[in-house]
Amino acid sequence: MPRGFLWLWLLLTVIWFAANSSLAIESILSGAVISAVLAWTFVRHFPAWADIRFTPERLIHFVRYTGVFAIEMVCANITMLRYVYAPRIDIDPGIVTIKTRLKTPVGRLALANSIALTPGSLVVDMDGDTLTVHCLDVPTTDTEDATRIIAGPFEDDLEKAFG
C-alpha cells in the first residue's frame, strides 16, 4: 500500500459522508470505494499527497482550519452582499502579492483554494512561496500586510495540519 493512502482515504471518506448526509449502506459503500480510488490515484501519481501524515494534533488543527474557513466564508459573503445592495459601489479592485510560510505543496494548495473559494478574492498565480491574488477590494499593497490580512486566518492551522 502506498505511503499516505490510508490517511487520504479516511479524509476523503469523511468529506464524502459530510457532503452526502446519508448513512444508507449504498452511500457508505460507494463513498468508501470512490474515496479509495481517488486516494490511490492521488498517492500513486502525485507525490505531494504521499507526505500526508496523521496525528491527533494535525487532525485538531485541520478541524480548526475548517471552522476558520467557514467563518471567513460567511464574513466574505456578507461583504459581497453589502457590495451588491449598496446604492454606490465603492471598491478598489487590484492584484496583490502575498508570501506564505507554508512549506508543503498540499498546504499551499489548501491556502490557495481557501483564498479562491472566499468571495472577493482569487489566486491568479502561485510560484514557490509567493501567491498573486486578485482582490475585489484591495486592502493594502504592502506584501506583509496583505499576507496578514488575506492568508493570516488560514496559515497557522494549515501549517500545523500540513506543514
Side-chain angles (χ1 to χ4, degrees):
M1 182 178 323
R3 201 174 80 207
F5 168 78
L6 181 63
W7 307 122
L8 184 56
W9 174 71
L10 285 173
L11 175 65
L12 292 173
T13 302
V14 168
I15 291 171
W16 173 274
F17 291 155
N20 202 16
S21 302
S22 172
L23 294 177
I25 192 69
E26 300 85 12
S27 175
I28 292 171
L29 289 176
S30 62
V33 169
I34 290 169
S35 297
V37 169
L38 287 172
W40 182 266
T41 303
F42 286 165
V43 170
R44 297 284 295 189
H45 298 288
F46 304 104
W49 292 101
D51 294 333
I52 292 178
R53 298 286 175 261
F54 175 80
T55 64
E57 181 185 358
R58 285 180 179 222
L59 179 62
I60 289 167
H61 286 289
F62 181 75
V63 170
R64 282 184 49 183
Y65 153 74
T66 303
V68 168
F69 175 72
I71 291 167
E72 290 294 319
M73 178 73 80
V74 169
C75 291
N77 276 290
I78 290 170
T79 301
M80 290 299 107
L81 187 69
R82 286 185 190 137
Y83 289 145
V84 169
Y85 287 108
R88 184 177 157 272
I89 298 176
D90 185 24
I91 59 173
D92 182 24
I95 294 181
V96 295
T97 301
I98 65 172
K99 295 227 180 245
T100 181
R101 63 179 186 267
L102 300 174
K103 302 296 180 211
T104 65
V106 174
R108 290 177 180 172
L109 174 67
L111 177 62
N113 283 332
S114 300
I115 293 169
L117 290 171
T118 306
S121 58
L122 178 67
V123 177
V124 294
D125 188 34
M126 283 179 57
D127 185 21
D129 65 347
T130 303
L131 283 76
T132 305
V133 181
H134 178 273
C135 297
L136 186 62
D137 194 10
V138 175
T140 179
T141 55
D142 180 63
T143 301
E144 288 181 22
D145 287 342
T147 300
R148 183 180 43 76
I149 294 168
I150 297 170
F154 308 116
E155 267 192 328
D156 288 339
D157 289 314
L158 284 175
E159 185 175 34
K160 291 174 183 162
F162 296 116

